[in-house]
Amino acid sequence: MENGGTALISFWSGIVDERDHVYLGPYGGPLRGLFGGDVLDVVPLQPGESAEVTWPDGRVSEGTCWLDVIEATGGEVIARYSSTPWAGHPAILSSRVGGGRAVYLGTRLADDAMAGLYRQLLGTAVAAAPPRGVERVVRRSAEADYEFLINHTGAPVRAGLASAGHDLLSGSDVAGTLDLPPQGVAVVRRPVRE
């Protein structure tokens, strides 16, 4: 992060040390200083239970599974809870760390909301969330982005791409979507745009 990376830290992170001892005080342990907030309490959400998350532009998303009650201590609030007894508390915080930033996500967002958050954080085109069972990881060097797609399922799938590029494994140029065979892998390279 110090050199310009972005770390996305999810709920229930920094809770215990390497010996599995819980950090006392506000939760988050050694991560608290990174994301600019304190996790005051944790609220596991029951199946079917959700919390509304409101963005500065008025969009409302749904948070499920978990809700961290967060108090900003210097971090920029990206979105807030707008329902539950914790309405008004930050749901997502961001803080500058050197040339990069750390972002803390206090709930599980739906796939479309996560894709929107990725677009906001990365400032680049981001494909829609991959199909269930497909892992997507993007790495960047000084010259290129590398989008890794791994189909962990036993069936063929079609995955959307962030943008056009060259699949290093098949040797073909790809754009829009990419068909992955069962257990298939693709590595799409695209030059970094200045």
Side-chain angles (χ1 to χ4, degrees):
M1 288 183 300
E2 290 287 335
N3 295 321
T6 298
L8 181 59
I9 304 164
S10 183
F11 53 87
W12 201 238
S13 295
I15 299 299
V16 297
D17 66 16
E18 66 278 0
R19 294 177 310 280
D20 215 21
H21 295 157
V22 174
Y23 289 107
L24 300 177
Y27 296 114
L31 301 177
R32 289 174 43 222
L34 288 177
F35 60 82
D38 290 333
V39 177
L40 304 178
D41 205 352
V42 297
V43 182
L45 299 174
Q46 298 301 310
E49 192 177 12
S50 65
E52 288 182 353
V53 175
T54 301
W55 304 83
D57 64 5
R59 286 178 298 126
V60 177
S61 303
E62 183 180 65
T64 60
C65 182
W66 197 267
L67 183 151
D68 276 347
V69 180
I70 305 167
E71 179 180 273
T73 60
E76 171 194 357
V77 178
I78 293 178
R80 293 183 183 276
Y81 300 116
S82 53
S83 69
T84 75
W86 302 280
H89 280 269
I92 306 169
L93 278 180
S94 174
S95 184
R96 288 280 169 203
V97 179
R101 72 171 142 182
V103 177
Y104 190 85
L105 179 60
T107 190
R108 177 183 289 164
L109 294 175
D111 291 346
D112 60 335
M114 280 302 298
L117 178 60
Y118 292 145
R119 279 191 294 275
Q120 180 180 346
L121 296 178
L122 301 176
T124 59
V126 176
R132 191 167 299 280
V134 174
E135 179 181 355
R136 172 183 283 127
V137 176
V138 178
R139 296 288 184 255
R140 175 174 277 186
S141 72
E143 298 81 33
D145 285 339
Y146 296 88
E147 183 175 2
F148 296 80
L149 295 160
I150 305 168
N151 180 3
H152 292 284
T153 74
V157 294
R158 176 165 287 167
L161 296 172
S163 61
H166 183 77
D167 181 5
L168 298 176
L169 300 181
S170 71
S172 59
D173 291 332
V174 293
T177 61
L178 181 70
D179 292 318
L180 291 168
Q183 307 297 316
V185 177
V187 180
V188 178
R189 181 185 191 277
R190 58 185 66 87
V192 173
R193 297 183 188 136
E194 296 297 326

